[in-house]
Amino acid sequence: DAADVDTDSYEVLSTHPFCRGLRKEVVLAISRASKRWVFTTPGRIIVQEGTVKAEHSSLWIVTRGSVEVAESGQVLGTLETSGIFGDSVAFGRCDQQPFSVKVLQLPVIAWCLPAAELQQVLRSHPAAVAIMDEFVDQQEKRVIWPRVSRLIMLSHTGPNFTKQLLKKALVKHFRAFSTIWSPYQTQTSMRVVVCGKVLVQKNTPSDFELKS
């Protein structure tokens, strides 16, 4: 496995779905800051679940081959030449990597964009934020949705129902020790935990009394 500099980076990345819709100067900035990696070792772990080190917070753009995405030892799915990974931390949505990503179909060619460089691109080109966010949101839903669709509460529904639900569902990230749900807040949606662990605390009747 090795990294090298590819002078044709713009031509390669400009055709990738992640970069479609972005202005030329944005793609140029991404290509200049990215390094091309070629992985030839089967099963090589590129991103390790739970990693918090800065050097492992890069965004990876896959242009050849495929990788396997897993969480807590369970395979969630695969990403191919139209995918990206490492985005949860690179975009600042999580403090640590929520998934492990390993080499599946050889060779895997991926472009590595350090999180610091990505954040600089976003600051310099704020109009690109919404486009990138939309791509990340849609990919995250595709990766984790098979786990959601296997929930007991959805086991008796038809495929059309889950497809419609997927269109309306939103993926949200919560940092450690932050509140996901509280009886003191007005709730207008149902929340399903698909990755990670949560602590459920019991409220006493006095918690619901009005305080002066």
Side-chain angles (χ1 to χ4, degrees):
D1 304 332
D4 58 20
V5 178
D6 193 322
T7 55
D8 297 325
S9 58
Y10 172 76
E11 285 71 18
V12 174
L13 294 177
S14 62
T15 61
H16 194 279
F18 176 69
C19 294
R20 288 176 190 164
L22 298 176
R23 296 177 65 88
K24 182 177 180 179
E25 56 266 29
V26 180
V27 182
L28 281 171
I30 292 174
S31 62
R32 291 188 186 117
S34 300
K35 284 188 177 180
R36 178 179 179 265
W37 280 78
V38 180
F39 297 94
T40 57
T41 305
R44 157 74 186 273
I45 295 178
I46 305 175
V47 171
Q48 180 67 57
E49 178 183 345
T51 303
V52 296
K53 295 181 180 179
E55 59 265 30
H56 297 293
S57 61
S58 300
L59 175 70
W60 294 84
I61 305 173
V62 183
T63 57
R64 186 175 177 183
S66 63
V67 295
E68 181 182 87
V69 182
E71 190 264 343
S72 298
Q74 182 183 30
V75 176
L76 298 178
T78 61
L79 295 174
E80 300 180 344
T81 55
S82 61
I84 61 173
F85 59 90
D87 46 280
S88 295
V89 173
F91 279 91
R93 299 183 173 194
C94 295
D95 294 323
Q96 61 183 25
Q97 296 292 349
F99 310 119
S100 289
V101 180
K102 70 178 183 179
V103 174
L104 190 61
Q105 181 183 350
L106 297 174
V108 169
I109 298 178
W111 298 77
C112 180
L113 175 62
E117 301 292 344
L118 172 63
Q119 293 301 323
Q120 179 59 46
V121 171
L122 297 178
R123 287 191 293 269
S124 301
H125 307 278
V129 175
I131 298 174
M132 293 186 188
D133 279 345
E134 175 65 17
F135 183 90
V136 172
D137 289 343
Q138 294 303 317
Q139 178 179 273
E140 282 188 336
K141 286 203 288 186
R142 288 195 301 272
V143 170
I144 66 176
W145 193 252
R147 176 177 285 186
V148 177
S149 63
R150 289 193 294 268
L151 292 172
I152 296 177
M153 60 178 291
L154 297 176
S155 61
H156 300 294
T157 62
N160 289 333
F161 177 82
T162 55
K163 287 181 181 179
Q164 292 302 316
L165 199 61
L166 175 60
K167 294 178 182 179
K168 298 179 180 296
L170 299 175
V171 177
K172 291 181 178 268
H173 299 76
F174 295 90
R175 299 183 185 280
F177 307 111
S178 61
T179 300
I180 296 178
W181 187 91
S182 169
Y184 307 112
Q185 301 171 350
T186 302
Q187 304 296 332
T188 58
S189 62
M190 176 183 71
R191 297 187 176 180
V192 179
V193 179
V194 292
C195 295
K197 298 178 181 179
V198 296
L199 173 66
V200 180
Q201 294 178 309
K202 182 179 180 180
N203 291 283
T204 63
S206 62
D207 291 334
F208 297 94
E209 295 176 359
L210 292 176
K211 300 293 193 293
S212 60

